[in-house]
Amino acid sequence: MRFPLRFYLPYLVLLGFSGVISIYGPHQRAQKTGDILLGGLFPIHFGVTSKDQDLAARPESTECVRYNFRGFRWLQSMIFAIEEINNSSAFLPNITLGYRIFDTCNTVSKALEASLSFVAQNKIDSLNLDEFCNCTGNIPSTIAVVGASGSAVSTAVADLLGLFYIPQISYASSSRLLSNKNQYKSFMRTIPTDEYQAIAMAAIIDHFQWNWVIAIASDDEYGRPGIEKFENEMFHRDICIDLNVLISQYIDEAEIRRLADRIENSTAKVIAVFASGPDIEPLVKEMVRRNVTDRIWLASEAWASSSLVAKPEYLDVMGGTIGFALRAGHIPGFKEFLQQVHPKKSSHNEFVREFWEETFNCYLEDSPRNEDSENGSTSFRPLCTGEEDIASVETPYLDYTHLRISYNVYVAVYAIAQALQDILTCTPGKGLFANGSCADIRKVEAWQVLKQLRHLNFINSIGEREVGYYSMHNKNGAKLSIDKTQILWNGRLTEVPFSNCSEECEPGTRKGIIDGEPTCCFECTECSDGEYSDHKDASVCSKCPNNSWSNGNHTSCFLKEIEFLSWTEPFGIALALLAVLGVLLTAFVLGVFVQFRDTPIVKASNRELSFVLLFSLICCFSSSLIFIGEPQDWTCRVRQPAFGISFVLCISCILVKTNRVLLVFEAKIPTSVHRKWWGLNLQFLLVFLFTFVQVMICVVWLYNAPPGSYKNYDIDEIIFITCNEGSMMALGFLIGYTCLLAAVCFFFAFKSRKLPENFTEAKFITFSMLIFFIVWISFIPAYFSTYGKFVSAVEVIAILASSFSLLACIFFNKVYIILLKPSRNTIEEVRCSTAAHAFKAAARATLRHSSASRKRSGSVGGSSASSPSSSISLKTNGNEMESPSTRRHSQKPRVSFGSGTVSLSISFEEARKNSVQ
């Protein structure tokens, strides 16, 4: 059986007791005959004397010591219930209940000694000896036993009584081991198992946020299972136990002192104890002697209100103890019954005489103490008068304000009476036994009462229903409710004491593991960047969402700033203005060339290709604008192809221009074939083919791995919106092909650097190509080493630098001549420049020829002197400049460019003189 349990924050009952040792032996009992006999086992004493038996003589029975006033009140509760039932007309009419009650002295041996008397009497009755002797005066069998108190004692008794199926109802044994019905067949109880108490104790520790405690338990069937369940609960709640020990009331003083040393040295301030009052008393005494006042005690119900601990002299050490108490009940008339106790009125209760002597610290006539007092074996006590007032003395016996165990005893007796009532009123055919039969109340046996108790359901005089059933799970589950304001901690403090292995970690930090220490012992580690904790004692730091970042103290997250190369930021505005400036300057140059398209400078610059070149430069400057602003999928797909195709178109035009002039000037005799192959159609075809290759690279790129916008969350506090290029290999091909054309262009420009300046911009193209290479070679490491919006900025700068270098180097000199030096923009200026180039070429040829002749003369061993003479005839639009020698020569190679005709006449005369040496 089980019964409802409630948890309270108990008060300390301030009590005292006499330390005089009782000499009453195990022969003491409370006994009254009746039709049906109930047995009782109560701890009238806290223990027995500890003495070694050397077996030199017959062993004597050990003596019980330290009177237990509460135990005597429990016994009185059983007697009161039995008398109340006997006086009731509703319960068991014409049936009288008797009792045989023994003192267990809180030990197994005494309890078994008493239990054997129950079993022996039942065994004699089962032999049916009436025909052999007159047994009419024989005491009837004990059909049920109420007791015992401690779980260890009840376990031993249950093993014995279970063999004979004698029902046993305990009022205070809460060990969960006793719930094993296969082992303890006849055991029942009116107290819940301490499994729930262990859960509640761990819940209290968790409630006050303690994680570092000391666990102490009785070394018996009550303490060991209870603390084991408590440890499991603590483990599941991540609460650590610093010290875990078993104790007993018979432990030696040296061991108690060592245990007290360990407790004092421990940093845990909370001590959870699963023990009985006698077992914990030696430790409490030692802690009081040392005046250890900075501990919080957590008491199980077995000692929470024990008179051994609730003493005024213990208040400084034990004040503020949190204990568990059984649900208190009310027993009408019990207060008056307790006050009526008197040695002369209680002939059936041999324990009353000792109670009276212990209460008033006197001795009764014919008392065993009187004899020992005369012999000087005990301290002197006066003779009791019998007129003492029981109400004038404060003892636990009269503490009936919160009847818990006493109430459990009362309920146990009524449970047995109800089972007997059910047997008495049983209707044949509806009974619990074979074929629906009923037991005979006059010859009822213990096993029949046990059967009836297992099906018991009754209402007692105070209206309680279904005694024996308890569930701590309500609709919303188990719940613990504590009013902290009602607690006065040790030292009269209202603040909850601290009992943790480590100081709590503030928000913004987390618990860090310390090697070799329990998990409750930790160090506070600051959360990493991008992580936060917003409460104390966080086990882990939470990672901020991708769009957020942790603040300075890592207690919360804030939204990251979104960044890209914006139109509104100064850097973006500057780049945009430069790009627009480049477009405007290029458009201006294009307008100048269109306006002066028929002038020699424009014609000599390959007018049609120059227009295409200027258009491509406008596209180059314009493509840089696509890199500014928030990247979208379409801008990411357009910007690289626009840049790549524009630059290839630009460089293709420069390459074709440079190569055409170079081939014409290097040709010895410009023929119609040269003019055919280097006409405008072929030039545009080459530009188209070069550009088409770049277009195909872009098409393949966009088809296989199209770029798209991408949010980069990897940077602290900032979200960079950039373009994911899709394929870096494709971007490499695009830039690489552009650089390859630029390299070829640089080669031809370098070769043609000495041609007439009016016909080609070779030097400037060479310089612009050098700038182009420097820019894009620097671009590669800069591109891969930067991040975010700076990637786009680097590419925009590279585009603008390349475009401005091409525009400035190729066109600014021409625009300067066209607009500011129109005198140089004439056909005569162009022809003079061509003539100068021809003179330089002829001089170089004459020097090469003269050098070759001297080498041939030297090879035949003769000496000769040669004086080359050259004559150059230039004919420009009818103007002739001839030397006499040139008139004799008629070969005049002619080169035609546009509308100008240049005739070159070169002759060489060499006088050879032979000298004989």
Side-chain angles (χ1 to χ4, degrees):
M1 295 178 64
R2 293 167 292 184
F3 87 113
L5 172 68
R6 291 180 182 173
F7 301 110
Y8 296 92
L9 296 178
Y11 50 86
L12 288 178
V13 182
L14 306 181
L15 302 169
F17 74 95
S18 174
V20 178
I21 299 177
S22 171
I23 62 173
Y24 286 88
H27 64 276
Q28 281 183 295
R29 68 186 66 183
Q31 179 171 309
K32 186 176 182 180
T33 60
D35 299 322
I36 298 175
L37 204 62
L38 305 183
L41 297 173
F42 294 92
I44 308 302
H45 295 84
F46 284 112
V48 296
T49 57
S50 178
K51 61 172 65 176
D52 295 332
Q53 300 284 355
D54 57 5
L55 302 180
R58 179 184 295 275
E60 296 179 357
S61 178
T62 55
E63 296 178 351
C64 299
V65 295
R66 295 187 297 169
Y67 195 80
N68 184 2
F69 288 94
R70 294 176 70 227
F72 181 68
R73 172 159 45 87
W74 302 341
L75 179 149
Q76 289 287 80
S77 177
M78 178 176 179
I79 295 176
F80 173 78
I82 291 175
E83 292 184 0
E84 188 178 63
I85 293 170
N86 289 336
N87 295 329
S88 173
S89 60
F91 266 104
L92 302 174
N94 302 320
I95 299 293
T96 302
L97 296 180
Y99 53 83
R100 296 174 66 203
I101 303 174
F102 294 93
D103 179 13
T104 65
C105 300
N106 204 36
T107 59
V108 173
S109 60
K110 293 295 182 181
L112 288 177
E113 184 178 348
S115 300
L116 284 173
S117 67
F118 301 145
V119 173
Q121 186 63 47
N122 287 21
K123 194 65 178 177
I124 293 174
D125 289 347
S126 66
L127 295 177
N128 197 11
L129 299 177
D130 289 345
E131 59 183 282
F132 300 102
C133 64
N134 184 9
C135 300
T136 56
N138 186 40
I139 299 176
S141 299
T142 302
I143 54 94
V145 175
V146 176
S149 59
S151 295
V153 176
S154 289
T155 300
V157 172
D159 285 330
L160 179 60
L161 298 182
L163 295 175
F164 303 95
Y165 294 94
I166 300 175
Q168 173 190 359
I169 303 178
S170 174
Y171 47 83
S173 300
S174 58
S175 174
R176 62 186 178 90
L177 298 181
L178 290 168
S179 299
N180 187 349
K181 294 303 179 183
N182 293 326
Q183 184 174 358
Y184 307 107
K185 302 179 179 63
S186 63
F187 179 82
M188 291 165 282
R189 52 187 164 190
T190 56
I191 184 174
T193 172
D194 53 22
E195 179 175 0
Y196 302 122
Q197 187 175 189
I199 296 174
M201 189 177 289
I204 284 183
I205 294 174
D206 195 16
H207 176 81
F208 290 110
Q209 299 180 355
W210 296 322
N211 66 8
W212 194 235
V213 301
I214 297 172
I216 300 175
S218 296
D219 191 10
D220 55 23
E221 284 74 8
Y222 170 72
R224 288 192 298 268
I227 209 67
E228 179 183 354
K229 178 63 178 178
F230 175 73
E231 290 174 356
N232 292 335
E233 284 297 314
M234 299 284 277
F235 175 78
H236 291 305
R237 297 172 186 268
D238 293 328
I239 302 173
C240 301
I241 297 177
D242 179 38
L243 184 62
N244 193 347
V245 292
L246 298 175
I247 60 173
S248 169
Q249 62 175 312
Y250 304 110
I251 193 172
D252 58 73
E253 294 183 1
E255 187 65 25
I256 288 292
R257 287 194 295 269
R258 285 193 292 269
L259 175 58
D261 290 337
R262 297 174 66 186
I263 293 175
E264 277 195 290
N265 295 330
S266 173
T267 57
K269 302 301 181 182
V270 174
I271 305 174
V273 182
F274 256 92
S276 62
D279 288 334
I280 193 62
E281 184 190 17
L283 177 61
V284 172
K285 283 184 176 180
E286 181 63 21
M287 299 299 285
V288 170
R289 187 185 69 80
R290 300 186 181 204
N291 195 29
V292 181
T293 60
D294 60 342
R295 296 296 190 271
I296 300 299
W297 298 79
L298 196 59
S300 64
E301 47 80 25
W303 71 278
S305 56
S306 173
S307 60
L308 297 177
V309 178
K311 297 181 179 181
E313 58 268 28
Y314 294 173
L315 185 59
D316 290 339
V317 173
M318 305 305 295
T321 297
I322 299 178
F324 289 88
L326 305 176
R327 197 193 68 173
H330 176 64
I331 305 176
F334 187 51
K335 174 182 177 181
E336 293 75 14
F337 178 80
L338 292 177
Q339 293 176 342
Q340 291 173 3
V341 65
H342 195 279
K344 296 180 180 180
K345 299 179 182 179
S346 305
S347 59
H348 301 289
N349 191 347
E350 298 177 3
F351 298 107
V352 174
R353 295 177 60 83
E354 184 179 6
F355 163 74
W356 197 266
E357 294 175 348
E358 293 293 335
T359 300
F360 299 105
N361 196 22
C362 62
Y363 65 89
L364 297 169
E365 292 182 348
D366 301 328
S367 171
R369 279 200 180 90
N370 187 20
E371 298 176 2
D372 287 356
S373 177
E374 294 176 356
N375 297 330
S377 60
T378 61
S379 60
F380 174 78
R381 287 186 177 187
L383 183 66
C384 299
T385 64
E387 301 298 328
E388 291 85 1
D389 184 8
I390 191 67
S392 64
V393 182
E394 183 179 348
T395 64
Y397 173 75
L398 291 179
D399 183 16
Y400 43 77
T401 54
H402 296 284
L403 299 177
R404 297 183 174 90
I405 300 299
S406 300
Y407 179 71
N408 286 354
V409 174
Y410 181 80
V411 171
V413 174
Y414 264 89
I416 298 172
Q418 183 63 49
L420 295 173
Q421 178 72 16
D422 292 343
I423 293 175
L424 178 64
T425 58
C426 176
T427 303
K430 296 182 179 180
L432 299 176
F433 305 100
N435 301 320
S437 62
C438 299
D440 185 357
I441 191 63
R442 297 291 178 180
K443 298 181 179 180
V444 67
E445 298 184 34
W447 66 271
Q448 294 171 322
V449 178
L450 176 62
K451 176 73 171 179
Q452 201 70 44
L453 281 170
R454 290 178 178 177
H455 294 79
L456 181 63
N457 184 14
F458 77 102
I459 301 175
N460 63 11
S461 60
I462 59 174
E464 288 190 328
R465 187 168 190 81
E466 295 186 354
V467 172
Y469 177 80
Y470 167 73
S471 175
M472 70 180 295
H473 299 285
N474 54 27
K475 294 182 179 179
N476 298 323
K479 183 179 180 180
L480 176 68
S481 178
I482 297 178
D483 186 2
K484 297 180 181 179
T485 61
Q486 300 298 319
I487 304 175
L488 191 62
W489 302 101
N490 201 354
R492 301 188 182 276
L493 301 176
T494 58
E495 184 179 357
V496 177
F498 182 82
S499 183
N500 298 72
C501 184
S502 302
E503 294 289 338
E504 62 183 10
C505 294
E506 295 296 325
T509 62
R510 64 172 178 84
K511 298 178 182 178
I513 297 175
I514 302 177
D515 293 338
E517 295 291 337
T519 57
C520 299
C521 301
F522 50 83
E523 58 184 0
C524 297
T525 304
E526 186 177 6
C527 294
S528 303
D529 291 338
E531 297 180 346
Y532 74 99
S533 64
D534 56 1
H535 60 278
K536 293 183 178 181
D537 277 344
S539 299
V540 295
C541 295
S542 302
K543 189 175 181 61
C544 291
N546 284 340
N547 63 343
S548 302
W549 193 251
S550 57
N551 58 4
N553 52 11
H554 301 280
T555 57
S556 62
C557 296
F558 62 90
L559 292 176
K560 291 182 178 180
E561 181 182 355
I562 297 178
E563 283 198 5
F564 51 85
L565 190 58
S566 173
W567 293 99
T568 58
E569 64 176 290
F571 194 36
I573 294 173
L575 294 177
L577 291 177
L578 288 175
V580 172
L581 178 62
V583 171
L584 294 177
L585 288 176
T586 307
F588 173 74
V589 174
L590 179 59
V592 171
F593 266 55
V594 171
Q595 180 67 28
F596 297 93
R597 60 185 177 277
D598 294 327
T599 60
I601 289 292
V602 176
K603 288 182 177 181
S605 299
N606 200 332
R607 179 175 54 193
E608 289 76 10
L609 279 182
S610 294
F611 292 157
V612 176
L613 176 58
L614 288 169
F615 170 74
S616 66
L617 283 175
I618 292 176
C619 293
C620 290
F621 284 114
S622 300
S623 67
S624 65
L625 296 174
I626 308 176
F627 288 81
I628 304 174
E630 182 177 353
Q632 304 291 336
D633 286 341
W634 72 270
T635 58
C636 293
R637 291 181 174 91
V638 169
R639 65 180 194 172
Q640 297 292 5
F643 140 71
I645 294 172
S646 299
F647 262 87
V648 166
L649 178 62
C650 175
I651 295 176
S652 298
C653 293
I654 298 173
L655 174 62
V656 171
K657 277 182 58 178
T658 306
N659 192 42
R660 174 180 176 274
V661 174
L662 179 63
L663 291 178
V664 169
F665 270 89
E666 286 190 346
K668 293 181 179 179
I669 302 175
T671 63
S672 60
V673 176
H674 290 87
R675 288 192 295 269
K676 176 181 178 182
W677 281 104
W678 285 103
L680 285 176
N681 292 335
L682 179 60
Q683 296 174 42
F684 286 126
L685 177 62
L686 290 175
V687 171
F688 171 77
L689 292 177
F690 290 146
T691 308
F692 180 75
V693 173
Q694 186 76 308
V695 171
M696 292 308 299
I697 292 175
C698 295
V699 169
V700 173
W701 180 8
L702 294 176
Y703 180 78
N704 292 308
S709 62
Y710 166 73
K711 291 184 178 180
N712 185 358
Y713 297 99
D714 297 335
I715 309 301
D716 300 353
E717 305 181 14
I718 297 175
I719 300 176
F720 284 118
I721 302 180
T722 59
C723 286
N724 181 7
E725 302 299 351
S727 172
M728 296 306 298
M729 182 179 293
L731 180 61
F733 275 118
L734 183 143
I735 297 177
Y737 178 68
T738 305
C739 292
L740 175 64
L741 292 181
V744 175
C745 184
F746 173 78
F747 172 75
F748 287 123
F750 184 78
K751 287 192 64 175
S752 60
R753 68 190 183 281
K754 295 182 180 180
L755 293 181
E757 295 179 358
N758 290 49
F759 284 88
T760 181
E761 309 86 359
K763 292 181 180 179
F764 296 108
I765 291 176
T766 303
F767 184 69
S768 66
M769 290 299 105
L770 284 175
I771 297 176
F772 183 89
F773 281 122
I774 293 173
V775 168
W776 288 102
I777 290 175
S778 302
F779 164 78
I780 294 174
Y783 183 86
F784 288 102
S785 63
T786 54
Y787 56 87
K789 66 180 181 181
F790 301 106
V791 175
S792 299
V794 166
E795 192 161 358
V796 170
I797 292 173
I799 294 172
L800 293 179
S802 303
S803 301
F804 274 114
S805 66
L806 293 175
L807 177 64
C809 294
I810 297 175
F811 292 103
F812 280 6
N813 185 47
K814 294 179 175 58
V815 172
Y816 172 76
I817 294 175
I818 293 173
L819 296 180
L820 302 179
K821 299 292 183 180
S823 59
R824 295 178 56 184
N825 189 13
T826 61
I827 191 63
E828 291 80 6
E829 184 71 18
V830 173
R831 286 177 178 174
C832 288
S833 176
T834 303
H837 173 73
F839 177 79
K840 294 176 183 178
R844 284 194 297 270
T846 301
L847 291 175
R848 286 196 299 272
H849 181 73
S850 175
S851 176
S853 298
R854 284 196 298 272
K855 288 181 181 179
R856 285 196 298 270
S857 299
S859 63
V860 296
S863 62
S864 62
S866 63
S867 58
S869 66
S870 61
S871 62
I872 302 176
S873 174
L874 285 81
K875 185 176 181 182
T876 306
N877 290 339
N879 297 326
E880 296 182 359
M881 298 176 61
E882 297 182 354
S883 65
S885 60
T886 58
R887 293 191 182 98
R888 294 192 298 267
H889 298 275
S890 61
Q891 295 181 356
K892 297 181 179 179
R894 303 175 71 249
V895 182
S896 175
F897 292 94
S899 60
T901 301
V902 179
S903 297
L904 302 179
S905 176
I906 304 174
S907 64
F908 299 92
E909 290 183 0
E910 186 174 329
R912 294 179 176 84
K913 295 182 180 179
N914 297 325
S915 61
V916 178
Q917 298 181 0

